[in-house]
Amino acid sequence: MEPVVPPEITAELTQILSNLVLGDNEIRSNAEKAVNERLAHAPDLYLLALAQFSIAADTEVMRSFSLVLLRRLLFRPVPTPTTLSSTDSASSSTPQPVPSFHSLSAPRLSLFDHLTTSALTNLERLLLHSLSHEPAASVRRKTVDTISDVANQGMLRGRPWHALQAQVFSMTQATSATNGVAGEGLRESAYRVFAGCPNLVMDLQTDAVLGVLGKGLRDEQSIDVRYAALLASVAYLSHADSHQLAQSLSLMYPILDTLPPLAHSINQPSGSATLTSTEDKTPTAHLQSFLVALTPLCSAHPNLFHPHLSALLTFLPPLLLANTDPGPTPTVRAPYPTGLGGDGQSGSFATPTGSPSRELPVTETEDEEEGQSLRLSALEFMLSLCEARPSMFKKNSSPTSPTGVNVGQGWIAVMVRACLEGMAELDEESPYGTPGGLSRWLAEDPTTSSAAENDSPPALYEQSLDRLACAMGGKVILPPSFQYIPSMMANYDWRSRHAGLMAIAAIAEGTGKVMANELGRVVELVVPMFKDSHPRVRYAACQCVGQLCTDIEDIIEQYHEQLFAVLIPALEDPEPRVHSHAAAALINFCEGVERNTLLPYLDPIVQRLLKLLNPEADPTQVQRHVQEQVITTLAMVADASEATFAKYYPSIMPLLINVLRNASGAEYRKLRLKAMECAGLIAIAVGREIFRPDSNTLVELLIRIQKSPLDPQDTQLSHYLMGTWAKICQAMGPEFEPYLPAVMPDLLTTASMKADVSVYDEDEEKVEERDGWETVNMDGQTFGIRTAAIEEKCQAFETMVIFASTLNARYAPYLAQSLEITLPALRFYFHDGVREACALLLPMLLHCGQQSGTLTDQMIAATLQQLISVISDEQDSTFLASLYKALDDCVKLLGGPSVLNADYVNAIVQATKRQLHTLAQKRRSRAARPSSFLDDDREDLALLEEMEDFALEEMAKVLGMLNPNHELLVAISSVKELGTNQYQTELEEDG
């Protein structure tokens, strides 16, 4: 192809790119600056040079690199010579600050927007040449990614790429090598372009599109072409409108027909496959890739799979379930027995006909991890359908298989069994794929070892069971679960007993309403496990009971004798990890138990906890994570037992003060934080008189910690400090006033923090790896929001609520500053908790001003104006009730409706009319939705409608205060009647 840029530019760019891939930071940094300088002064020339280099470079590495760089540079903001490049992975994680929230919605012009028409035409021509002439499949996929971005962004800007459309359709027909590229390679790239840019085909005749996609799905030569066609088909169906979907139902047959041949090939001897692939992947890995590619369609359009559930239920179980027998015996005639029927043909979604209770045999050459990944991918496929459309698998609406079995019941039964089997596949010698076995597990700090545990296959199966229970409810999940769980609990293998206990804990949340009726049987199963010979089973028993106490509140009151009888002795378990977890489970008891129920058990609980915290034997043998857990549990016990805890105060508070005074090393960071929290809760529990002698000492220690040099690793210190100050204020009451000057400056600073928003040039996936940040995509750009700072801001306002409500008039010195920060924060849209706390705080601040005589007319006017203004603009109906309640409370504090002049009254009425109109429209729109949508969203709809009703009730209170016979009260009743309470009723019936 003829060059489009002068040779000297090509030579210069070649040198720059060569420097960019070097490992020397200084050379690479200089190359980045050079790129920015060239792009700032001549973007057309150097972007075209980069595109040309992607064709002319001698090595695959440099062609790939140039395509990746081109794709990234095209759609980033126009650089200046001082702008940092995002090509350096070491520097790309540093966010560039955004001046304000409003700038996020402003148009952001990229280099692509500054290219001339001529440059764009040449760029497109170069990319099309790369697509049809690039010999290396891996490089060609980079070309596809770049082309897809250019096509998508061009269409967004009203620039269709007709040449691309024509060339790609032509490539789908390629049967022989062209320009040095094999026909199957051209076909694969074409379908990948359709997958990356589905808008290329969305406006074409549906039959023509289906014909092209179907041909790729049935490709007779290449697995890669079939896979690319599957990606394209999923993208097409995901973007299709309802009319196109109705016309495209037939596409599901060739889509699903891609799976059985891959399953069949798993059992064939190496080299016997009829389909080829350029990738070095086993048939197991290919099948997993196909299932992963198909899974997003389950969430986007689950109804497409409804006619195929029976066939899928025949095909999927062998992929999903663990072996129950060794499979067929090899013979001379059949040295590689498949164990599965089916002809492997792709004409009619043929499925293996072997026993659905047997997993596909894995040949010796296949990696066990691939088999596990395939099982998990098949499970995720089935689970995604359940979560997206639970009603499809309910008994009344699920189809019946040819054998007369209800498909929905069979589908759920297979998934439950697969999860239970997977949960029992713990490796006794190597629990999470790391050497050390049981002894390593016992020695681990559970607070730092959870990552490996949560990523292990048994944990993934457990998470899947939890999701399935939440999606389907107790009536559907409990019968198949308890078909297996009792026998698992009686199994000789500890892993099976462990899995049974963890399964009960996993399904408790989703099945709680129905399980509550069978609690007696559940308790009978769990209680004996506390005496199991294996420590991991005893640990699981603690986990199970703790989770049940969280998800089924009645369990404590009904069965506290049986459960306390085993849980309290577990605090003396010989294994630290087990007795630490028993202490953790006790927290869940304390959070839900009635005080009178807890009191008889208080002595044995506290005695054992103190023994763990301050052992009489060798203190050096105590593990720090055990002490941290014990302190946390003591805090919860104190909170639940209230004043009765006073008799233990002399034994515990000196220990906590000693920790705060002496545990200053980095290794004691968490212990120190837990001691703060515990001291505050105990202070509240025992009351002012008992706490008073130690209050000054504790406050001085907290001030010293607050003023100590900031440790960047101690990210939780501010959170725990604020929480402890709030608790001490509650405990001391008015006596806390002298300490306000030491506390309030930092508190007000935290409350006034603006949202920390940053813009990234890197991929979103990399951004998400940063702890304490969340990302959003807007206008093709990735923005990060530091959620840790926002959470602190929310806590600061919540602490101000406690200070103002506890101190009343004594809070007056900080009234003006607090109002100045609180009023604008009603519009802090980044965090609902901040806004809720501000709405709660405003009446308290006005009351403080009244009591102290410092409330001014300007303060009153600012408060009322801001409240009414926010009510008028508010779009979140869940927050609307809080705003109306705050307005109602403020007006009543100020003396009633007489304090409101005509302008205020009129503004309130107009704001309310606007909100009533919006709520009425929302409810009519929901009522007009198809019943299938209402069935699957009923839990969310029930909650939403309940919150709207709260808002309507608060509106009525405000209007009734203004005028008991206000005309809008009738309108409120009318809007209420537009709601349907069927959502909540159906939800309760489902359980």
Side-chain angles (χ1 to χ4, degrees):
M1 185 174 181
E2 290 296 323
V4 296
V5 294
E8 61 270 18
I9 298 295
T10 302
E12 181 186 16
L13 185 64
T14 301
Q15 183 60 51
I16 292 174
L17 294 181
S18 300
N19 291 340
L20 277 175
V21 297
L22 292 177
D24 187 288
N25 287 335
E26 184 176 354
I27 295 177
R28 190 169 64 245
S29 178
N30 290 332
E32 289 172 359
K33 293 177 181 177
V35 169
N36 282 319
E37 289 172 0
R38 305 308 189 271
L39 291 175
H41 293 103
D44 291 32
L45 196 59
Y46 282 91
L47 286 174
L48 288 177
L50 193 57
Q52 183 173 289
F53 189 78
S54 70
I55 297 172
D58 295 333
T59 65
E60 293 180 15
V61 171
M62 291 308 295
R63 294 199 301 275
S64 287
F65 178 67
S66 60
L67 286 163
V68 172
L69 185 59
L70 175 63
R71 181 185 176 198
R72 177 164 293 177
L73 293 177
L74 272 171
F75 303 106
R76 76 172 199 181
V78 178
T80 62
T82 58
T83 303
L84 291 176
S85 171
S86 64
T87 57
D88 180 8
S89 60
S91 64
S92 62
S93 62
T94 303
Q96 303 300 316
V98 176
S100 69
F101 173 70
H102 299 288
S103 66
L104 300 184
S105 59
R108 301 181 65 258
L109 297 180
S110 63
L111 284 171
F112 181 84
D113 297 298
H114 284 265
L115 294 179
T116 64
T117 302
S118 174
L120 277 173
T121 301
N122 280 324
L123 174 66
E124 292 171 349
R125 189 162 54 87
L126 289 167
L127 290 173
L128 289 179
H129 185 275
S130 175
L131 183 66
S132 59
H133 289 74
E134 173 55 54
S138 60
V139 179
R140 205 163 53 249
R141 288 174 186 171
K142 299 294 192 303
T143 303
V144 167
D145 293 338
T146 306
I147 283 176
S148 297
D149 277 3
V150 171
N152 288 323
Q153 294 297 326
M155 290 180 187
L156 286 174
R157 292 159 172 81
R159 180 185 171 86
W161 194 350
H162 298 300
L164 172 64
Q165 187 182 61
Q167 178 170 316
V168 173
F169 269 100
S170 175
M171 289 169 61
T172 64
Q173 309 300 318
T175 57
S176 58
T178 306
N179 302 317
V181 184
E184 54 266 32
L186 293 172
R187 297 196 301 275
E188 179 203 358
S189 297
Y191 287 111
R192 284 185 176 272
V193 171
F194 287 146
C197 185
N199 284 328
L200 281 175
V201 299
M202 298 310 297
D203 293 334
L204 301 180
Q205 287 290 332
T206 302
D207 289 343
V209 175
L210 297 184
V212 171
L213 294 175
K215 183 177 180 180
L217 292 165
R218 295 187 179 98
D219 195 275
E220 297 180 355
Q221 292 180 303
S222 172
I223 293 177
D224 299 336
V225 175
R226 289 191 178 189
Y227 178 66
L230 176 63
L231 293 173
S233 300
V234 169
Y236 173 74
L237 292 173
S238 298
H239 287 78
D241 58 33
S242 58
H243 180 68
Q244 289 171 316
L245 278 178
Q247 293 182 302
S248 305
L249 297 178
S250 62
L251 186 61
M252 290 302 296
Y253 289 94
I255 283 177
L256 295 175
D257 279 344
T258 61
L259 303 178
L262 293 172
H264 185 70
S265 66
I266 292 176
N267 308 281
Q268 305 304 313
S270 177
S272 65
T274 59
L275 295 173
T276 62
S277 173
T278 59
E279 297 188 41
D280 184 19
K281 292 172 68 173
T282 64
T284 301
H286 278 301
L287 180 54
Q288 187 221 349
S289 298
F290 275 62
L291 284 171
V292 170
L294 193 50
T295 298
L297 192 59
C298 297
S299 301
H301 295 296
N303 286 337
L304 292 175
F305 295 87
H306 191 267
H308 308 281
L309 291 181
S310 181
L312 285 168
L313 186 59
T314 308
F315 170 74
L316 290 169
L319 308 181
L320 200 61
L321 298 174
N323 286 325
T324 56
D325 63 64
T329 303
T331 64
V332 175
R333 289 187 177 182
Y336 302 101
T338 65
L340 293 169
D343 58 8
Q345 297 176 356
S346 59
S348 59
F349 190 31
T351 60
T353 58
S355 167
S357 64
R358 185 172 63 247
E359 163 187 51
L360 290 172
V362 179
T363 64
E364 292 181 2
T365 60
E366 290 179 334
D367 193 338
E368 291 182 2
E369 291 185 3
E370 288 186 351
Q372 188 67 264
S373 296
L374 175 60
R375 289 174 60 193
L376 287 166
S377 296
L379 177 61
E380 182 64 28
F381 174 89
M382 299 179 74
L383 182 56
S384 296
L385 274 176
C386 290
E387 290 181 320
R389 190 70 75 234
S391 60
M392 279 202 312
F393 303 95
K394 299 294 176 68
K395 185 175 182 180
N396 294 335
S397 57
S398 183
T400 302
S401 69
T403 60
V405 177
N406 182 272
V407 172
Q409 289 178 298
W411 189 276
I412 300 301
V414 166
M415 293 184 66
V416 168
R417 178 179 166 185
C419 290
L420 294 175
E421 289 179 348
M423 290 170 64
E425 292 174 3
L426 288 167
D427 188 339
E428 188 166 12
E429 294 303 318
S430 179
Y432 315 125
T434 55
L438 179 61
S439 59
R440 181 182 179 89
W441 181 85
L442 290 171
E444 282 178 340
D445 180 348
T447 62
T448 59
S449 65
S450 59
E453 186 173 0
N454 290 337
D455 291 338
S456 67
L460 296 176
Y461 285 112
E462 180 184 338
Q463 294 162 22
S464 297
L465 185 61
D466 180 15
R467 290 166 56 192
L468 182 63
C470 290
M472 301 305 303
K475 289 183 180 179
V476 175
I477 297 301
L478 283 180
S481 298
F482 278 88
Q483 180 182 349
Y484 301 105
I485 287 175
S487 59
M488 293 173 71
M489 306 273 272
N491 197 296
Y492 72 93
D493 190 335
W494 72 267
R495 292 170 295 184
S496 184
R497 303 194 300 274
H498 179 277
L501 288 164
M502 299 301 284
I504 294 175
I507 64 177
E509 179 184 2
T511 68
K513 292 180 180 178
V514 180
M515 190 189 288
N517 300 324
E518 303 292 336
L519 276 182
R521 293 174 55 195
V522 174
V523 170
E524 288 178 4
L525 284 172
V526 174
V527 163
M529 297 294 104
F530 279 86
K531 296 181 180 179
D532 196 275
S533 59
H534 201 285
R536 294 198 65 178
V537 176
R538 301 196 299 274
Y539 179 94
C542 296
Q543 173 70 23
C544 182
V545 168
Q547 196 64 48
L548 287 172
C549 291
T550 297
D551 297 325
I552 309 176
E553 297 176 357
D554 294 341
I555 190 171
I556 305 174
E557 297 301 330
Q558 292 184 30
Y559 302 100
H560 61 85
E561 292 183 6
Q562 298 97 308
L563 295 174
F564 274 129
V566 292
L567 196 53
I568 294 175
L571 293 171
E572 298 178 311
D573 191 279
E575 300 297 344
R577 189 159 185 185
V578 177
H579 62 235
S580 173
H581 208 52
L586 274 172
I587 292 178
N588 295 6
F589 270 83
C590 296
E591 288 179 341
V593 75
E594 293 290 335
R595 178 173 173 273
N596 292 334
T597 302
L598 176 63
L599 291 183
Y601 305 101
L602 204 55
D603 282 343
I605 290 174
V606 175
Q607 288 170 6
R608 286 166 173 79
L609 290 174
L610 284 175
K611 188 176 180 181
L612 291 175
L613 182 63
N614 191 30
E616 298 175 357
D618 185 1
T620 61
Q621 298 301 310
V622 179
Q623 296 186 23
R624 193 159 51 249
H625 75 83
V626 175
Q627 290 181 309
E628 293 165 359
Q629 182 58 66
V630 167
I631 288 177
T632 303
T633 306
L634 281 170
M636 293 300 103
V637 170
D639 188 44
S641 57
E642 299 174 353
T644 311
F645 197 79
K647 66 178 181 177
Y648 309 108
Y649 180 89
S651 302
I652 297 174
M653 186 58 81
L655 293 175
L656 300 176
I657 289 176
N658 185 57
V659 169
L660 295 176
R661 180 178 286 122
N662 300 313
S664 56
E667 67 274 20
Y668 296 108
R669 189 182 295 133
K670 189 173 181 180
L671 185 67
R672 187 167 59 246
L673 299 178
K674 295 294 185 181
M676 276 186 211
E677 180 182 49
C678 186
L681 283 170
I682 288 176
I684 294 175
V686 301
R688 191 182 312 168
E689 297 301 322
I690 294 176
F691 174 59
R692 184 179 288 118
D694 294 308
S695 61
N696 192 55
T697 302
L698 183 58
V699 167
E700 288 178 353
L701 287 170
L702 291 176
I703 292 174
R704 189 185 75 181
I705 293 171
Q706 183 171 277
K707 291 182 177 181
S708 60
L710 182 64
D711 179 0
Q713 301 300 318
D714 199 354
T715 57
Q716 292 292 305
L717 178 60
S718 176
H719 165 73
Y720 276 89
L721 268 173
M722 276 192 285
T724 305
W725 284 127
K727 293 177 181 67
I728 291 177
C729 177
Q730 288 174 285
M732 297 182 67
E735 296 177 16
F736 185 76
E737 181 188 3
Y739 304 117
L740 280 178
V743 179
M744 286 303 299
D746 285 350
L747 190 65
L748 292 170
T749 300
T750 303
S752 61
M753 284 192 305
K754 298 187 182 299
D756 192 351
V757 182
S758 300
V759 58
Y760 297 87
D761 289 329
E762 59 182 329
D763 294 334
E764 181 184 359
E765 290 80 6
K766 296 179 181 178
V767 179
E768 288 179 343
E769 296 174 2
R770 302 186 67 211
D771 291 336
W773 287 76
E774 288 184 1
T775 59
V776 293
N777 281 335
M778 192 178 298
D779 297 332
Q781 185 66 52
T782 302
F783 297 96
I785 302 174
R786 193 161 75 92
T787 53
I790 295 178
E791 292 293 342
E792 287 186 6
K793 181 183 181 79
C794 178
Q795 189 184 11
F797 278 109
E798 291 170 347
T799 303
M800 289 163 63
V801 167
I802 292 174
F803 285 179
S805 61
T806 302
L807 298 173
N808 293 315
R810 293 176 174 81
Y811 188 76
Y814 304 96
L815 172 61
Q817 287 176 278
S818 298
L819 270 175
E820 185 179 351
I821 294 170
T822 303
L823 289 174
L826 286 171
R827 297 185 184 273
F828 190 80
Y829 298 110
F830 291 106
H831 196 286
D832 292 340
V834 170
R835 305 175 72 205
E836 291 284 354
C838 290
L840 185 63
L841 179 58
L842 282 176
M844 297 177 183
L845 293 177
L846 295 187
H847 180 66
C848 163
Q850 278 187 330
Q851 295 293 312
S852 61
T854 57
L855 187 63
T856 65
D857 292 340
Q858 290 81 2
M859 291 179 180
I860 295 173
T863 301
L864 294 177
Q865 289 170 7
Q866 180 72 344
L867 271 174
I868 297 170
S869 173
V870 175
I871 286 174
S872 181
D873 299 335
E874 186 56 45
Q875 299 180 9
D876 182 4
S877 55
T878 59
F879 182 51
L880 203 54
S882 301
L883 288 170
Y884 272 100
K885 186 177 189 312
L887 179 61
D888 186 44
D889 290 343
C890 287
V891 172
K892 288 178 179 176
L893 275 170
L894 296 171
S898 60
V899 303
L900 300 174
N901 59 35
D903 290 338
Y904 283 135
V905 173
N906 182 61
I908 293 171
V909 171
Q910 293 305 315
T912 303
K913 284 182 178 179
R914 186 177 293 109
Q915 290 296 342
L916 285 172
H917 178 71
T918 301
L919 285 173
Q921 282 186 321
K922 288 180 179 178
R923 292 193 164 191
R924 291 192 188 101
S925 176
R926 288 200 295 267
R929 293 172 65 186
S931 58
S932 59
F933 285 94
L934 299 182
D935 288 340
D936 294 307
D937 295 339
R938 59 187 177 186
E939 184 173 358
D940 293 336
L941 290 170
L943 181 59
L944 179 59
E945 190 168 285
E946 185 178 6
M947 297 308 298
E948 289 174 351
D949 285 342
F950 285 150
L952 291 169
E953 290 168 7
E954 294 298 333
M955 282 184 200
K957 289 180 183 178
V958 171
L959 292 175
M961 174 182 62
L962 298 178
N963 180 359
N965 300 313
H966 200 286
E967 58 182 9
L968 285 183
L969 292 173
V970 177
I972 290 175
S973 299
S974 300
V975 175
K976 271 190 176 182
E977 290 174 1
L978 290 175
T980 56
N981 294 324
Q982 63 177 351
Y983 307 133
Q984 187 62 41
T985 302
E986 292 175 0
L987 184 63
E988 291 172 351
E989 289 176 354
D990 185 54

